[in-house]
Amino acid sequence: MNPDLRKERAAASFNPELLTHVLDGSREKTRRRREIENLIMNDPDFQHEDLNFLARSERYEVAVRKSANMVKKLREYGIADPDEILWFKKLHLVNFVEPVSLNYSMFITTLLNQGTTAQQEKWLLPSKGLQIIGTYAQTEMGHGTHLRGLETTATYDPNTQEFILNSPTVTSIKWWPGGLGKTSNHAIVLAQLITKGKSYGLHAFIVPIREMGTHKPLPGITVGDIGPKFGYDEMDNGYLKMDNYRIPRENMLMKHAQVKPDGTYMKPLSNKLTYGTMVFVRSFLVGEAARALSKACTIAIRYSAVRHQSEIKSGEPEPQILDFQTQQYKLFPLLANAYAFQFVGAYMKETYHRINEGIGQGDLRELPELHALSAGLKAFTSWTTNAAIEACRMACGGHGYSHCSGLPNIYVTFTPTCTFEGENTVMMLQTARFLMKSYDQVHSGKLVCGTVSYLNGLPSQRIQPQQVAVWPTVVDIDSPDSLTEAYKLRAARLVEIAAKNLQTEVIHSKSKEVAWNLTSVDLVRASEAHCHYVVVKLFAEKLPKIQDKSIQNVLRNLFLLYSLCGISQKAGDFLQGSIMTEFQITQVDQRIKKLLTVIRPDAVALVDAFDFKDLTLGSVLGRYDGNVYENLFEWAKQSPLNKTEVHKSYYKYLKPLHSKL
């Protein structure tokens, strides 16, 4: 063990093991997760070469082999619980993606949410065992987040009781679905349903795309890989073109909407029910943001405790770079973010399953809020995490640029979340629609509930209609309840500003659509403030539930740092709304610096509590034992360029030049 890390762990004010139990949900869940992780670490079938040194086609092949092996091992070990499967996959896959991931995350999820009992009986078991390998084909070359603009058509033919699928334009070619290029043999295709000459909007269809046994594309199907990307080298993101391709009527997912044999359309109870898969994935991505940011913070903080550089006092030994206030200011707020997102991710998972269970029993009341919250929090957490991973990489200096740090892989694997399952700005605007509807409800005399209930107390309801709310200064910067209230007031104020600006533009432009576009910057700000408030609120609500006082204390410090840094970064919002004074903002900045000092002795223990195995981190810089430099040298020796003392290019190109000297 590196002596610096040993010293850091000895100085911690709390037991990281107890905090790990909090993050996992219980002591028993921690025990079971580790038991599953040990199965993988001790199984020789899961050992593999460092993927950083492989070409793309080799990485893809290794990933396919690992995916197939994983299915066998899950059966062998008898692992069937969804959480346990996820633990198994996360360690098994390290920081790399699997070509069959959409089969589990979207194909099966859509089948469960939108398939009839008969459809589930037909396709569910084979897809779980990878006899059927499915993907989810929604995005097209020319259309992504704007679902109504998708061009792929599914026209019903009552004579044969088949749907005819077509990609009528080049922009309608399905583009980007993971696993579509070479791996999948089925796809859930989102297409515009046309029956009896009328279009009924997007519906989901199960479409066989490759022949079982030979894996060759079926007649009428053109399918392939879209080529190298910024990252995701193991994933065969693909294209799909369909030309008068026929599928049976039974291949339309009909749990909610139906087409009768004669072509009669039966509409669903709610159009939002058809978007259940996206809501699930967006909710899941909030947890993934927490995980990715936690990994990045673990690497950067451990390395900052091991790395010595420069001097604080002339002539003294070089200190750990974690002792520099600037390094603490870079990393500790990101660590606080990681913990905040851990708790939000757990909340979103629990909320999704609770509301989805209600939907199954016909209760759709909370569906609009779930749709809005999952969209907004997906955008909020992924934007923050994307920037934070890069900040962690730069905080590691030059070594952070090397793949050995693990940070480039974490970044390129996570960054697509800012655009898939909905481009983030559009996601924020979807949340804004819900906020504007809630605001209108309040002003029509109705009460709203859930995360927008703060709108019920808008001060503007008691003042002149054209005025914007102003609040008295009441913020105690050391009180979680008071800070949560400040964020609530900020959200309420920005929602109201957006609503009033929207009303003004409607009057001037005479068109709601044009007015919406002209107010969209305000609307995104309102959504961001709403999401920020929700995160602060959920973090604050977690604190009293912590039994151990030492754990509660360290989490309280992280909560204060998270909340105060947000106020410092958005000081204008708090000042303009008279929520805080200029003097209080100055106090906030001073308190942040004090919190850095308070958190410093616990920093390494806080990342230890995430309990990432070295195998999961895939980082030389973030090793638990801190033996960075010896292993950095060993890692470099593995480079394929070092297989020979002299590379063949020397003899072909450089030596002829030397001989002429």
Side-chain angles (χ1 to χ4, degrees):
M1 182 70 66
N2 177 284
D4 286 316
L5 283 185
R6 187 183 295 115
K7 179 188 71 174
E8 294 289 337
R9 289 173 177 132
S13 69
F14 68 98
N15 181 355
E17 180 78 4
L18 298 179
L19 185 47
T20 301
H21 299 161
V22 171
L23 295 174
D24 282 334
S26 70
R27 180 188 299 270
E28 173 56 27
K29 285 185 178 179
T30 297
R31 185 201 64 76
R32 179 58 177 155
R33 173 179 56 77
R34 288 174 176 168
E35 184 177 51
I36 289 170
E37 289 174 347
N38 287 332
L39 287 174
I40 297 171
M41 295 176 71
N42 296 325
D43 191 328
D45 289 342
F46 285 124
Q47 307 310 310
H48 63 82
E49 55 272 63
D50 191 321
L51 298 187
N52 288 300
F53 297 126
L54 300 181
R56 184 180 174 223
S57 60
E58 294 173 316
R59 288 170 74 131
Y60 170 73
E61 184 174 350
V62 169
V64 171
R65 172 171 59 81
K66 284 162 68 73
S67 296
N69 197 30
M70 183 183 68
V71 173
K72 296 175 187 174
K73 294 293 180 179
L74 286 170
R75 287 179 191 153
E76 183 182 319
Y77 295 138
I79 296 173
D81 178 81
D83 284 339
E84 294 188 357
I85 290 173
L86 192 61
W87 294 335
F88 193 93
K89 288 171 67 174
K90 288 302 177 187
L91 187 62
H92 169 50
L93 294 168
V94 194
N95 291 319
F96 301 90
V97 291
E98 58 172 341
V100 301
S101 62
L102 266 72
N103 179 70
Y104 297 103
S105 65
M106 301 196 76
F107 186 87
I108 289 176
T109 301
T110 307
L111 193 53
L112 288 168
N113 285 336
Q114 298 185 44
T116 63
T117 302
Q119 289 172 324
Q120 291 176 16
E121 287 175 353
K122 180 177 179 180
W123 284 300
L124 204 52
L125 199 58
S127 59
K128 287 182 176 179
L130 291 186
Q131 290 86 36
I132 283 177
I133 305 172
T135 186
Y136 187 84
Q138 174 178 291
T139 301
E140 297 173 358
M141 191 188 294
H143 294 88
T145 308
H146 180 57
L147 299 183
R148 290 193 300 277
L150 295 179
E151 300 176 80
T152 302
T153 58
T155 307
Y156 184 65
D157 180 354
N159 297 320
T160 60
Q161 294 194 23
E162 293 174 313
F163 287 100
I164 307 166
L165 283 96
N166 269 301
S167 307
T169 63
V170 67
T171 50
S172 71
I173 296 171
K174 294 296 182 184
W175 199 268
W176 279 113
L180 177 63
K182 292 294 176 185
T183 309
S184 300
N185 51 34
H186 283 68
I188 287 177
V189 172
L190 273 288
Q192 304 287 355
L193 167 63
I194 301 170
T195 180
K196 291 189 173 183
K198 185 176 178 182
S199 178
Y200 289 94
L202 281 186
H203 289 72
F205 302 84
I206 292 191
V207 180
I209 56 175
R210 288 185 168 93
E211 186 179 48
M212 303 298 282
T214 68
H215 208 59
K216 291 182 178 179
L218 291 162
I221 295 290
T222 304
V223 63
D225 178 76
I226 65 169
K229 306 165 292 288
F230 185 52
Y232 261 50
D233 284 341
E234 305 82 33
M235 180 67 84
D236 54 324
N237 296 85
Y239 58 78
L240 172 65
K241 186 176 185 296
M242 294 169 289
D243 297 296
N244 293 316
Y245 184 71
R246 290 177 175 264
I247 58 172
R249 183 183 71 90
E250 293 77 14
N251 282 36
M252 173 183 164
L253 294 179
M254 295 201 200
K255 182 176 182 179
H256 304 300
Q258 298 177 18
V259 171
K260 298 295 185 182
D262 67 352
T264 302
Y265 178 73
M266 309 292 289
K267 69 178 183 179
L269 289 173
S270 167
N271 289 331
K272 283 188 170 62
L273 289 170
T274 58
Y275 301 145
T277 302
M278 288 183 293
V279 171
F280 166 75
V281 175
R282 288 168 189 163
S283 300
F284 174 76
L285 288 176
V286 176
E288 288 300 283
R291 183 178 175 83
L293 181 50
S294 299
K295 282 184 177 180
C297 287
T298 299
I299 293 167
I301 287 174
R302 282 181 181 167
Y303 178 62
S304 295
V306 168
R307 181 78 172 185
H308 290 250
Q309 193 159 296
S310 304
E311 299 171 338
I312 292 178
K313 289 185 177 180
S314 179
E316 290 190 354
E318 291 182 302
Q320 298 159 278
I321 59 173
L322 199 56
D323 285 338
F324 288 99
Q325 187 185 68
T326 50
Q327 190 76 347
Q328 296 167 13
Y329 191 69
K330 288 175 189 174
L331 295 177
F332 293 175
L334 305 185
L335 178 61
N337 259 288
Y339 270 91
F341 291 175
Q342 288 272 356
F343 300 135
V344 175
Y347 170 83
M348 284 305 297
K349 178 182 173 182
E350 177 188 321
T351 302
Y352 171 81
H353 288 301
R354 178 179 59 78
I355 294 176
N356 202 47
E357 194 174 308
I359 290 169
Q361 297 168 359
D363 183 0
L364 308 180
R365 287 174 299 174
E366 292 186 82
L367 182 58
E369 181 173 12
L370 176 63
H371 185 268
L373 195 59
S374 64
L377 285 175
K378 176 263 178 184
F380 183 80
T381 58
S382 60
W383 263 335
T384 302
T385 297
N386 193 58
I389 296 168
E390 176 65 355
C392 286
R393 185 191 67 77
M394 289 192 287
C396 291
H399 291 323
Y401 187 67
S402 170
H403 272 299
C404 79
S405 73
L407 291 164
N409 283 324
I410 295 172
Y411 183 82
V412 298
T413 300
F414 181 80
T415 194
T417 61
C418 292
T419 47
F420 68 56
E421 294 322 300
E423 192 277 331
N424 278 353
T425 301
V426 180
M427 292 298 92
M428 282 297 193
L429 289 170
Q430 286 188 11
T431 303
R433 287 195 186 279
F434 178 72
L435 294 174
M436 293 302 102
K437 286 179 182 177
S438 300
Y439 180 88
D440 290 342
Q441 284 179 313
V442 168
H443 276 264
S444 66
K446 297 177 184 176
L447 290 177
V448 292
C449 57
T451 57
V452 291
S453 59
Y454 60 85
L455 295 176
N456 293 326
L458 283 171
S460 63
Q461 290 183 268
R462 301 186 294 275
I463 58 179
Q464 294 301 313
Q466 296 307 313
Q467 289 182 276
V468 171
V470 177
W471 290 271
T473 304
V474 294
V475 181
D476 176 355
I477 64 172
D478 280 311
S479 164
D481 288 343
S482 185
L483 288 168
T484 304
E485 181 72 11
Y487 274 89
K488 181 175 81 172
L489 296 178
R490 172 185 174 237
R493 177 176 177 272
L494 290 180
V495 168
E496 183 153 53
I497 287 173
K500 289 187 178 299
N501 288 347
L502 182 60
Q503 290 167 6
T504 302
E505 291 296 344
V506 167
I507 293 169
H508 290 155
S509 66
K510 306 289 193 296
S511 163
K512 288 183 178 178
E513 293 76 15
V514 171
W516 184 267
N517 182 48
L518 292 175
T519 323
S520 56
V521 170
D522 300 322
L523 292 163
V524 169
R525 282 184 69 202
S527 293
E528 186 273 336
H530 172 73
C531 292
H532 209 160
Y533 158 66
V534 170
V535 175
V536 169
K537 178 174 180 287
L538 292 174
F539 199 164
E541 289 174 350
K542 185 71 178 178
L543 298 178
K545 299 174 184 176
I546 307 298
Q547 299 299 315
D548 185 276
K549 290 301 178 185
S550 63
I551 301 295
Q552 188 183 78
N553 187 54
V554 75
L555 286 178
R556 187 177 183 278
N557 290 334
L558 287 177
F559 169 83
L560 292 175
L561 185 62
Y562 176 75
S563 304
L564 296 177
C565 282
I567 290 172
S568 181
Q569 290 161 4
K570 301 289 183 180
D573 291 344
F574 292 91
L575 288 169
Q576 288 176 329
S578 298
I579 299 166
M580 299 182 76
T581 63
E582 186 176 347
F583 175 70
Q584 284 184 309
I585 297 295
T586 302
Q587 285 183 310
V588 164
D589 292 334
Q590 293 301 322
R591 187 75 175 95
I592 287 170
K593 288 186 282 189
K594 288 180 181 176
L595 282 166
L596 298 179
T597 304
V598 171
I599 292 168
R600 168 66 184 87
D602 288 324
V604 169
L606 281 165
V607 296
D608 284 352
F610 293 135
D611 202 30
F612 291 119
K613 301 287 189 291
D614 283 349
L615 181 64
T616 307
L617 284 177
S619 171
V620 174
L621 302 190
R623 293 171 59 95
Y624 183 82
D625 64 12
N627 295 323
V628 170
Y629 300 116
E630 311 91 305
N631 287 286
L632 189 57
F633 190 35
E634 291 303 314
W635 187 88
K637 291 177 185 176
Q638 297 175 46
S639 171
L641 287 176
N642 292 326
K643 286 185 177 178
T644 57
E645 289 290 334
V646 181
H647 194 266
K648 60 184 179 181
S649 62
Y650 170 79
Y651 299 105
K652 291 171 70 175
Y653 305 115
L654 298 178
K655 188 175 180 180
L657 296 176
H658 297 168
S659 64
K660 294 177 182 178
L661 294 176

